[in-house]
Amino acid sequence: MFEFDQYLGFLAFLTIATIGFWLMIFLLTFVVPYWVGGSIIEMIKEKKEAKRKKQEALNK
């Protein structure tokens, strides 16, 4: 059926495909939401800071 070098090639393909699959699952479930959430929090902080500075400028 398979010769030994074909068997090793098939195992290498399965290993790389499996690693890629789990990497994509990890990125889509943890890394991307963490990145998006952090950027949203930073945007909110920047808007609050700009609003606070504007309010301080009006009070002076």
Side-chain angles (χ1 to χ4, degrees):
M1 183 166 154
F2 278 133
E3 292 184 22
F4 189 68
D5 57 343
Q6 290 176 326
Y7 179 69
L8 287 179
F10 180 68
L11 285 180
F13 169 75
L14 284 180
T15 302
I16 292 168
T18 304
I19 289 170
F21 171 76
W22 287 113
L23 178 64
M24 287 301 296
I25 294 295
F26 172 72
L27 289 174
L28 291 175
T29 57
F30 294 107
V31 175
V32 173
Y34 181 77
W35 176 44
V36 170
S39 63
I40 289 171
I41 290 171
E42 286 297 316
M43 185 177 61
I44 291 169
K45 285 181 182 178
E46 289 174 8
K47 285 185 179 182
K48 282 184 181 179
E49 184 68 22
K51 189 176 181 182
R52 186 184 64 77
K53 284 186 179 182
K54 185 178 178 184
Q55 191 67 23
E56 280 181 5
L58 289 175
N59 289 338
K60 283 186 176 181

